[in-house]
Amino acid sequence: MTLGLAKYQHLAVSFLGRGALRYERLRQEAKLKRKGSWKSERFAPPLSTSPRLKELISLHYLKGRTADERGPVAWVTSGAPVEFLVALGYYVLYPENHGAVCGIRRVSEKISVHAEDAGYSRDLCSYARTDIGAALSGETPVGRLPRPDLLVACTNICQTVLLWYQVLAAHFRVPLVIIDTPFLYGEATERDIDFVRKQIEEAVAVAERVAGRSLSESRLMQVTRRSKEATELWLKVMETGKAKPAPITAFDEFIHMAPIVEMRGEQFTVDYYRAMLQELEARVRQGSGAVLRERKRLIWDNLPIWPRVRWLSEKLADRGVSLVASTYTNAWGELADLVDPEHPLESAAKVYLHPILNRGTGHKLATMEKMVRDYQADGVILHSDRSCKPYSIGQMDQRERLGTAAGVPALLLEADHNDPRSFSEEQAASRLAAFFEVLEA
Amino acid sequence: MAPPNPPLVPRRDEVIRRHRSSGGRLAAVLPIHYSRAVFRAHRMLPVEVWGPPGIDTSPGDAHLQSYTCGIVRSSLAFVLSGGLDVADIIVVPHGCDSLQGLGSVLLDFAKPRQPVATLYVPRGPRSASVVFLAEELRALSRRLSEISGIEPTLDELRQAIAREESADRALADLLDARPHLPFADADFYRVARAREYLPAEDFEPLARAMLAERVAAKRPGIPVVLSGLVPEPMNFLGAVADAGGVIVGDDLACLGRRRYAPGRSDDPWKHLAESLLDAPPDSTRGSSTADRLAWIEKLATDSGAKAVVFYLVKFCEPELFYLPQLRQGLEERGLKSVVIETDIAESLSHQAVTRLEALLESVS
Amino acid sequence: MSDAASIRALGIDAGSTTMKMVGVDAEGALVWHALEEMDPRIEAQAERLLDVVRADGCPDSLPLIATGYGRRLITRADRKVTEITCHARGVHRELGHGGTLIDIGGQDSKVIVVSEEGKVVNFSMNDKCAAGTGRFLEVVSGRLRMPMDAFADTALAADGEVGISSTCTVFAESEMISLLAHGAPVERIVRGLHRSLVQRVSALARGAGLRPPVMLSGGVARSRAIRTLLAETLRQEIVLPRHPQLMGAYGAALLALGA
């Protein structure tokens, strides 16, 4: 594509696309304001910020369609340090997030089949299969994914990304930066932090070279400040779930977490969560819960079952069960304190070593136990996620400890985060029914 | 002419008993990368645990989901049923998400009788890795001191390193000479894999004895490279022979991917770290597809192999990710390949044998 | 059969559900065959079939190759060759061209890409799971108490299709029961179940690097429903040899002849 055409497309996307999305948001907001427009026996009306969320996400992918014609593009893992990329002007795409979008729209299976046809085993992570399938076929529900100039994989969520991104690197023939965060069986040591800091510095150098520009320290500090602010707000948003009834469920958070994951460091993300927090606080004051007639409160562990989020949320709400928190969404808030905008790179080393997925199985149990106390939960659902080993190994012991030592009923639910073929609705429904009986006994 | 008798390999339990009775300590070490010299400097014998295959995995069923790799499940079952009671410490190097989970579950929940230590082997080639891994090895050594009561001097460590490097050279020679060694694959692997539990000074004479039988002619049969993790169950090697195949190149995690060359630094810790990090391309360290392809192709070219057998343990994500690009690359270079997945706790399936035979029929 | 006298080589395919024996003449034409349900005493059954062919007038001590699941047990065979090589050889000779051969057997399913010269270019097999094999249809048709022929007809007669999302046999079975409990019409479910098997096999075929035409062999090839849906899913015409079940034994006999 010539530069002129690219610019023209960009203008079209910016003005026409933006305009259409803005119009759609205003229409939805107006609809939400009309009294009596919401008819549900299970749930409170959506937050008035919901249409804005939709606009943000759509806009993000809309920009993505032509991003590779305009500037540098990086594909990154969900736990990777992103602030320096944002500060360098990269358009940042999160294949995991795109995978979730495919899951929610129920096209993940169809897209994964392209990868499976090419020989990628069904035992591989279903996000990876969705992403590789999309890369191989060009198929996506968001129009088009921009081609990466740089790949950044951080091992703080799994080793899977290390291998997955090698596949992408060979496919796209672009540089891959691996940020290796030693797994913390216990506490982080100086050598861990030092090792990660050096790697982030090296990553910055590669990203500068690929982008053809150098990192401005003040810009990095600004982005980090916004990132920290948004993370703190996100944490507060989730903490409103401590109120009884909870004004927000983890199911809502699964959707509302998109900006904190993929638009960290942007001012509009900060503004978005500030508005959301205000609304939730108002709901707490009014005593209105996200699930009407909240009777029981549960904690969720592991990734969502994206293709079945809605089914599961309705199944729970039917019984007056509210999912008040999750270890998964919590992961993007709990480290806010560690971020130091005055020392962005140094603090990043610490922050990116400490996600729950980079810490031991005992730490995850302790986190769940604390959440049960803080959120006054009645039980825990541990999603045993067939294609996510690092999140799932340890759950059998965690469930056992929750049940016996802490007296908290806990259910191990077999499924998969993005592959509907590894999920049996009948089996899940009967397990949930039995679990509800335990909760109510 | 009948093939020469393979050297007699001492049994694992004998070696352990002998080492024990001489007052030595024992470490049970899980896959894949670690430095044997660090243990030996503590007068400790590292004995590797790859499963073991063919055991009842049910004791671990309360801790690990059924979709976890069989090596990890078998190892945990073995620990819980007392199989490693003879060891003074269990060491779990970080090789993948499943080994990571095993280390963590052992430390936090399953809590065996003996202490558990871990070792993080960094991913991605970079200079910072050497410094980090050298520190990790030093930390492991401190942990071993708590058990051995020994704080090895640098000289003692250097001596241990020298012994291991000499054994590593013997192993590398064995791998290089493979097409010319007139031994059945099962016998070859029995000797080569004795490196997993024999002291270096006992392993080396065995390897040299086998090398002394080298002949000019190549072994008859359809030559193949074996890639994957571990040749278990062992009757797989018999199946290769029955189908007319001979293994001439090895890219197994338990063997060929641990063809360690000596490090470069004078500092023994950095020297050890370099040696581990410079090992051949490997899925568990996240090597690039191009590097792995070049390595396997070189193995095939050097040995005259006609095909590659990827022999995998079910649910091994690190191996599975590479397969499509590797196989395509090999195909473009005129090398056919086949993928065989097994569960090390089970016997070799009929289908696995059929796959193998069909590959060999198609290149013969 | 009277042509037994012209037999110059024999092939036995000891499959998981049936045993097949084929005799070929000097030109490699299929002149004699037998097909029986599998007897657990494989060797004895092979001997009995050899007696039958000899009684028909077949000469003694002809070259014999065994293939199939039980090939190792047939000690009389001069050589044992896999189903992969045999099916490729048999179907190539029968149809006179290469392509992609899909063999859906009782125990496993295979996809074999055959070159124009009749050589195996690539092959893939289903994993341990029963979901991609004839066993899947057996389980679900048994559950619905429908004989296999009626099962296929029911699928083709359906005026719609209910999607079965689970590909695991156990999951699919429970999904089917739940669909029935929710009042979904049986024909549509049956069609959905066929589709599920076909999709699994199609994935295997695409994974092996499908090249047209698609040829079908094995017992399940007799199911009209599978053929129709496979053609639909792969968007390819399906070519069927005259005796889809005999292709393994035929290939073995051809190899024995050295043709």
Side-chain angles (χ1 to χ4, degrees), chain A residues 115 118-121 123-125 128-129 132 155 157-164 166-168 170-171 177-183 185-186 189 191-192 194-195 198-199 202 302 357-363 365 383-390 392-398 400-401 412 414-415, chain B residues 60-69 72 92-105 107-111 118-132 135-136 139-140 142 283-290 314-325 341:
Chain A
Y120 292 91
S121 164
D123 289 331
L124 291 172
C125 164
R129 273 180 285 133
I132 293 169
T155 60
I157 50 167
C158 55
Q159 300 299 308
T160 303
V161 294
L162 178 74
L163 308 151
W164 165 4
Q166 287 291 7
V167 172
L168 293 179
H171 176 77
V177 171
I178 294 165
I179 297 174
D180 186 22
T181 47
F183 184 75
Y185 295 94
T189 60
R191 70 174 172 279
D192 295 328
D194 201 45
F195 180 45
K198 281 184 199 151
Q199 295 180 68
E202 283 173 18
N302 213 327
L357 271 172
N358 204 45
R359 306 193 65 180
T361 49
H363 173 79
L365 173 64
H383 164 207
S384 172
D385 185 347
R386 193 178 184 280
S387 72
C388 183
K389 269 79 173 178
S392 304
I393 294 180
Q395 281 181 322
M396 298 181 79
D397 282 293
Q398 287 152 0
E400 165 69 17
R401 297 294 170 98
L412 201 64
E414 296 275 347
Chain B
D61 286 352
H63 301 275
L64 296 171
Q65 285 96 331
S66 58
Y67 50 76
T68 313
C69 138
V72 164
V92 190
H94 190 298
C96 60
D97 288 327
S98 300
L99 281 167
Q100 164 188 303
L102 174 66
S104 194
V105 164
L107 281 165
D108 294 338
F109 300 121
K111 296 192 176 153
T118 58
L119 175 74
Y120 194 84
V121 182
R123 273 70 164 167
R126 57 169 70 83
S127 58
S129 296
V130 173
V131 177
F132 174 81
E135 281 301 316
E136 275 286 291
L140 174 66
R142 284 194 294 271
S283 63
T284 62
R285 289 183 297 118
S287 304
S288 74
T289 313
K314 179 89 178 145
F315 299 120
C316 181
E317 217 176 38
E319 290 293 293
L320 290 172
F321 264 111
Y322 288 93
L323 288 180
Q325 289 174 342
E341 273 189 302

Side-chain angles (χ1 to χ4, degrees), chain C residues 107-183:
Chain C
Q107 189 115 350
D108 49 28
S109 294
K110 306 175 248 317
V111 172
I112 309 161
V113 182
V114 186
S115 74
E116 279 313 304
E117 297 76 43
K119 291 244 183 249
V120 175
V121 177
N122 191 13
F123 68 91
S124 59
M125 295 166 93
N126 66 300
D127 51 32
K128 266 190 198 164
C129 171
T133 72
R135 180 85 193 126
F136 174 79
L137 290 182
E138 258 176 57
V139 169
V140 289
S141 67
R143 189 77 203 185
L144 291 169
R145 306 224 172 115
M146 261 187 214
M148 286 295 277
D149 291 348
F151 198 53
D153 292 342
T154 308
L156 286 177
D159 58 352
E161 190 171 315
V162 179
I164 306 283
S165 61
S166 314
T167 38
C168 158
T169 306
V170 179
F171 277 7
E173 202 182 337
S174 70
E175 198 173 336
M176 169 182 93
I177 293 163
S178 127
L179 287 166
L180 287 170
H182 286 94

Side-chain angles (χ1 to χ4, degrees), chain B residues 249-270:
Chain B
D250 183 287
D251 178 47
L252 291 176
C254 71
L255 196 60
R257 294 185 201 167
R258 297 196 297 179
R259 202 188 152 115
Y260 300 120
R264 299 169 301 275
S265 296
D266 280 340
D267 172 70
W269 300 106
K270 281 190 179 166

Side-chain angles (χ1 to χ4, degrees), chain A residues 366-414:
Chain A
T367 304
M368 284 191 270
E369 285 171 342
K370 183 171 186 307
M371 289 177 104
V372 167
R373 286 193 302 274
D374 291 353
Y375 286 81
Q376 302 177 64
D378 303 289
V380 181
I381 297 179
L382 300 107
H383 164 207
S384 172
D385 185 347
R386 193 178 184 280
S387 72
C388 183
K389 269 79 173 178
Y391 216 140
S392 304
I393 294 180
Q395 281 181 322
M396 298 181 79
D397 282 293
Q398 287 152 0
R399 178 190 57 167
E400 165 69 17
R401 297 294 170 98
L402 283 166
T404 52
V408 180
L411 171 75
L412 201 64
L413 189 66
E414 296 275 347

Side-chain angles (χ1 to χ4, degrees), chain C:
Chain C
M1 257 185 237
S2 53
D3 296 333
S6 65
I7 296 178
R8 289 298 168 267
L10 290 164
I12 292 187
D13 179 358
S16 63
T17 47
T18 53
M19 180 178 281
K20 285 81 67 173
M21 185 182 282
V22 159
V24 294
D25 66 15
E27 269 68 56
L30 196 162
V31 291
W32 188 93
H33 77 266
L35 189 153
E36 285 185 359
E37 289 293 305
M38 192 68 184
D39 183 327
R41 287 153 305 176
I42 291 175
E43 171 126 51
Q45 187 177 19
E47 286 299 327
R48 200 171 61 242
L49 284 179
L50 283 169
D51 288 343
V52 173
V53 72
R54 273 194 293 262
D56 270 4
C58 167
D60 271 339
S61 54
L62 289 179
L64 168 69
I65 285 186
T67 185
Y69 185 70
R71 62 184 177 275
R72 260 173 225 82
L73 297 171
I74 300 170
T75 47
R76 279 288 281 281
D78 303 299
R79 259 170 69 206
K80 284 108 189 173
V81 178
T82 60
E83 307 87 287
I84 316 277
T85 303
C86 290
H87 268 101
R89 176 57 69 94
V91 86
H92 178 264
R93 165 74 193 230
E94 171 76 15
L95 297 174
H97 53 70
T100 304
L101 174 64
I102 299 181
D103 175 65
I104 309 174
Q107 189 115 350
D108 49 28
S109 294
K110 306 175 248 317
V111 172
I112 309 161
V113 182
V114 186
S115 74
E116 279 313 304
E117 297 76 43
K119 291 244 183 249
V120 175
V121 177
N122 191 13
F123 68 91
S124 59
M125 295 166 93
N126 66 300
D127 51 32
K128 266 190 198 164
C129 171
T133 72
R135 180 85 193 126
F136 174 79
L137 290 182
E138 258 176 57
V139 169
V140 289
S141 67
R143 189 77 203 185
L144 291 169
R145 306 224 172 115
M146 261 187 214
M148 286 295 277
D149 291 348
F151 198 53
D153 292 342
T154 308
L156 286 177
D159 58 352
E161 190 171 315
V162 179
I164 306 283
S165 61
S166 314
T167 38
C168 158
T169 306
V170 179
F171 277 7
E173 202 182 337
S174 70
E175 198 173 336
M176 169 182 93
I177 293 163
S178 127
L179 287 166
L180 287 170
H182 286 94
V186 176
E187 316 81 61
R188 294 187 185 188
I189 298 176
V190 169
R191 194 177 167 98
L193 289 165
H194 277 82
R195 178 76 67 189
S196 164
L197 170 66
V198 161
Q199 271 167 350
R200 190 96 185 190
V201 173
S202 303
L204 208 59
R206 285 189 291 254
L210 186 94
R211 61 167 84 165
V214 172
M215 308 171 283
L216 205 56
S217 70
V220 180
R222 286 177 307 163
S223 162
R224 211 155 51 82
I226 292 294
R227 294 204 303 268
T228 310
L229 296 186
L230 200 58
E232 233 175 81
T233 306
L234 290 174
R235 293 197 197 93
Q236 296 283 345
E237 223 175 297
I238 307 288
V239 185
L240 208 64
R242 263 178 308 160
H243 307 286
Q245 275 183 290
L246 298 180
M247 287 303 105
Y250 183 37
L254 288 169
L255 287 168
L257 186 70

